[in-house]
Amino acid sequence: DQTRRIVVQNIAESEGSGQALTFCSVLGQGACPIALLAGDLDEAERYGRMLSAHTERFQIRLWNIWAHCFISLLAIRRGDINQGMKDIRACLDLAGEAQLLPRFMLIRGEYARYMGEFGAVDEALRIVKDMLAGCATRDEGWYVPELLRVQADLLLAADVDKSAQAEAVYMRSLAIAREQDARAWELRTGVSLARFLIQRQRRTESMTLLQSILDRFPGASSTDDARAATALLASVVEARSS
C-alpha cells in the first residue's frame, strides 16, 4: 500500500520533469510491476497503456516493446490465453538480445510460469534455468526468489517424484527472500510452499510458516498474495479444528 502511494507521487513528479526516459522507468520499473504484483489488473493496464502511448509518442522502441509484452501478460491473466502467449512470444522475438536486460525479467518469468501452466513445462524450465544463470553471471539478485519459486512449481508439474527437489528449491527461494528482506517474494513463496506442505499432510508446518510470514507483512491485506495466504491459513486452522 505504501509503495503504491509512492508510485502515484513518482508519476506526478516525472510527468512534469520533461524527461521522457525517466517517465518510462517510473512506469515500467515501478508502476506496472507493482500494480501487477498487487493483483490490481485495471490499474496495471492503465499504467501499461500509459507507457505504450508515451513510448509511441517519443519513439522509444525498447520500452514500447516492453509495454506491449506487459499488456499481453494482463490479457493472459484475464483469460485470453492463446492470443496473449502468441503476442508475448512475438514481442520477445522483436526485442532480440535486449530481452536479456533486467527490465525484461518479470516479463520472461511470468511467461515461463504461464508456459508451465499450459503444458510446455520442459521449455519453461529451460527458460528459468537460463534466467537464473544470467542472474548469477550479472550478480542480479532481485528476481531470484521468484524465479526459484517458479522453478519449484515447474518441477512439480514435470514430475511428482521431484517433490524433494522442489521443496529444496522452495526453501532456497524463501531463504534468499528473507536474506534480502524482500517480503513480497517471501509471501509469494510462502503460499506456494504452504500448499505443497498441505498436499503432503504437513498442515502444522504450513500453518506455522504462513502465520510467521503474515506477522511480518503489515499493510499487505490489499494484495492477491496476502489474501491467498490469509485464506489458506484459515482453511488449515479450520481443518485442524474439525
Side-chain angles (χ1 to χ4, degrees):
D1 292 343
Q2 292 174 337
T3 306
R4 293 169 76 182
R5 287 194 292 271
I6 292 171
V7 161
V8 173
Q9 179 181 342
N10 286 347
I11 289 174
E13 291 177 355
S14 61
E15 278 185 309
S17 71
Q19 299 292 323
L21 282 174
T22 298
F23 194 49
C24 290
S25 294
V26 167
L27 291 171
Q29 295 182 332
C32 290
I34 289 165
L36 177 65
L37 294 171
D40 191 333
L41 300 188
D42 290 340
E43 183 176 83
E45 182 161 2
R46 180 165 62 85
Y47 290 144
R49 295 200 179 280
M50 189 183 297
L51 178 58
S52 177
H54 175 78
T55 52
E56 287 173 6
R57 177 186 175 192
F58 290 98
Q59 299 184 6
I60 304 174
R61 177 180 178 274
L62 199 55
W63 272 118
N64 184 258
I65 293 172
W66 189 98
H68 285 290
C69 280
F70 184 76
I71 292 168
S72 298
L73 278 181
L74 299 178
I76 295 170
R77 185 73 68 89
R78 287 188 162 118
D80 191 0
I81 297 163
N82 292 334
Q83 189 62 49
M85 294 293 285
K86 180 180 177 181
D87 289 346
I88 290 178
R89 180 69 269 160
C91 287
L92 290 175
D93 288 343
L94 192 60
E97 291 295 312
Q99 68 181 267
L100 302 178
L101 292 171
R103 76 182 70 169
F104 278 94
M105 280 201 288
L106 176 70
I107 300 292
R108 294 175 68 210
E110 289 287 293
Y111 178 64
R113 180 167 74 89
Y114 287 126
M115 286 182 69
E117 288 184 9
F118 305 130
V121 177
D122 290 342
E123 186 177 354
L125 279 167
R126 179 188 59 76
I127 291 172
V128 172
K129 182 180 179 181
D130 289 347
M131 290 180 69
L132 286 167
C135 288
T137 299
R138 297 188 304 270
D139 195 23
E140 184 84 28
W142 69 273
Y143 196 58
V144 168
E146 174 66 355
L147 280 176
L148 290 170
R149 185 193 72 84
V150 172
Q151 186 180 51
D153 285 350
L154 292 170
L155 286 169
L156 291 174
D159 189 343
V160 292
D161 291 336
K162 292 186 177 181
S163 60
Q165 183 182 354
E167 182 174 1
V169 176
Y170 281 135
M171 294 303 296
R172 185 178 167 213
S173 170
L174 204 60
I176 294 174
R178 287 171 172 169
E179 180 182 319
Q180 296 176 348
D181 197 25
R183 298 185 188 182
W185 295 144
E186 181 183 357
L187 179 65
R188 180 167 284 197
T189 297
V191 171
S192 291
L193 178 54
R195 287 179 177 143
F196 171 90
L197 295 171
I198 291 167
Q199 289 168 1
R200 285 150 186 82
Q201 306 302 314
R202 295 160 63 182
R203 291 188 176 87
T204 300
E205 291 178 66
S206 69
M207 184 172 66
T208 301
L209 171 67
L210 289 169
Q211 189 63 67
S212 66
I213 293 173
L214 284 170
D215 286 347
R216 297 180 57 251
F217 208 128
S221 60
S222 64
T223 70
D224 276 357
D225 292 326
R227 285 190 288 266
T230 301
L232 194 58
L233 178 59
S235 71
V236 175
V237 171
E238 182 179 356
R240 279 172 54 86
S241 61
S242 61

